[in-house]
Amino acid sequence: MSSLLIWIFLLGNPQLLYSLKYHPNTFQTEQQSSDEFVIFENKIIPVEILDPVKEALSHFPDLKEVTIAFEFKERIKGSVMQAQPKILSLFVDGKEKRKYRIKITRELDFGDVVVPIEDVPNDALVGWIGHELGHIMDYLDRSATNMMRFGFKYLVSKHKVVEAELAADGYAIECGLGHQVLATKEYILNHDGFDDDYKEKIRTLYPSPGAIISLQEEFEQMGAESLFD
């Protein structure tokens, strides 16, 4: 059962044909690849969110050569976005060439209104994407075995979830997205459309707005001090 849960966490519903169709060697320059996607610096990006994705990516120079597919999904259980290594790549590619996917809920269903993800305020959307890119930063140096162990602990340990989400926010804030990460949290917590269970998850498992501000100030102070070293 634990092995099955790990596979579910890591792999979701893998789209192997999708992975094979867009071979990483083709991701060299920005070009229109279809009516729906743009290929940009080893990334596959839906045209609807091209600008916020590019804005978030601009803060992560370490991910420039990393292959990432941004994929719209109708629904992601318990989440709006989710970053994962791709199934085949996890076991076939070395970690230096590993491919990732970021699943993104196509629309936010608030009951009386449905909001396309691209209509989320820009700062909140950039912060959301930046958080997921922070997860990928956390995955870069993990071996396949370590990723499986991490996935299992994430499923069974609340402490591990808190630790992982803090790490993802930490990477995003350190890369200069503190304001946007804060905007994401405030958008969720202050929006009447999100249900109470989801808001409680954000309050319990993710850094609070106050913690984000403190972490941002800490990184800014460290950066200022480094100028005088």
Side-chain angles (χ1 to χ4, degrees):
M1 175 61 74
S2 62
S3 297
L4 177 60
L5 291 175
I6 294 170
W7 281 98
I8 292 172
F9 169 78
L10 290 175
L11 312 176
N13 296 309
Q15 298 177 338
L16 294 180
L17 292 177
Y18 184 89
S19 302
L20 294 172
K21 179 180 179 182
Y22 295 103
H23 191 277
N25 290 339
T26 66
F27 302 168
Q28 299 302 323
T29 60
E30 181 178 358
Q31 59 183 347
Q32 188 76 29
S33 60
S34 72
D35 292 335
E36 298 179 343
F37 296 94
V38 165
I39 295 174
F40 172 77
E41 294 183 346
N42 302 302
K43 315 297 186 289
I44 302 175
I45 309 169
V47 294
E48 294 89 341
I49 54 171
L50 178 62
D51 288 342
V53 168
K54 289 176 69 174
E55 182 177 344
L57 284 169
S58 70
H59 291 266
F60 292 87
D62 289 347
L63 296 179
K64 185 174 183 179
E65 302 302 322
V66 177
T67 300
I68 305 172
F70 295 82
E71 306 174 3
F72 280 149
K73 299 294 179 184
E74 290 303 312
R75 183 173 292 125
I76 305 170
K77 185 176 181 180
S79 299
V80 172
M81 300 187 190
Q82 191 174 72
Q84 303 169 328
K86 288 203 168 186
I87 176 173
L88 200 60
S89 184
L90 182 63
F91 297 104
V92 173
D93 297 322
K95 60 185 179 182
E96 296 81 7
K97 295 185 178 181
R98 186 182 297 151
K99 304 170 189 67
Y100 299 89
R101 67 197 302 211
I102 294 179
K103 298 190 293 185
I104 300 173
T105 301
R106 184 66 192 90
E107 297 174 330
L108 301 179
D109 187 353
F110 294 140
D112 57 339
V113 63
V114 175
V115 178
I117 195 67
E118 64 268 24
D119 289 347
V120 169
N122 187 70
D123 280 350
L125 184 54
V126 171
W128 229 323
I129 295 165
H131 173 84
E132 299 307 321
L133 293 173
H135 277 302
I136 292 179
M137 289 290 293
D138 187 34
Y139 300 159
L140 288 180
D141 290 329
R142 295 180 183 271
S143 66
T145 301
N146 183 274
M147 279 299 304
M148 293 182 69
R149 187 181 304 116
F150 168 84
F152 176 71
K153 289 182 179 179
Y154 189 97
L155 285 170
V156 302
S157 169
K158 178 180 176 181
H159 174 76
K160 193 64 179 180
V161 175
V162 172
E163 182 182 284
E165 302 307 337
L166 176 60
D169 271 353
Y171 276 113
I173 294 168
E174 186 176 14
C175 289
L177 287 173
H179 171 75
Q180 291 87 341
V181 170
L182 180 61
T184 306
K185 298 299 187 299
E186 291 180 338
Y187 176 73
I188 295 169
L189 296 176
N190 297 330
H191 198 298
D192 292 338
F194 290 101
D195 62 44
D196 291 340
D197 287 344
Y198 184 67
K199 289 185 178 183
E200 185 61 23
K201 172 186 173 181
I202 297 300
R203 292 190 188 96
T204 304
L205 302 178
Y206 292 72
S208 67
I212 292 170
I213 293 171
S214 296
L215 193 56
Q216 183 177 12
E217 291 174 348
E218 182 178 341
F219 281 127
E220 289 174 351
Q221 182 178 358
M222 289 170 59
E225 289 175 350
S226 68
L227 295 177
F228 300 96
D229 289 343

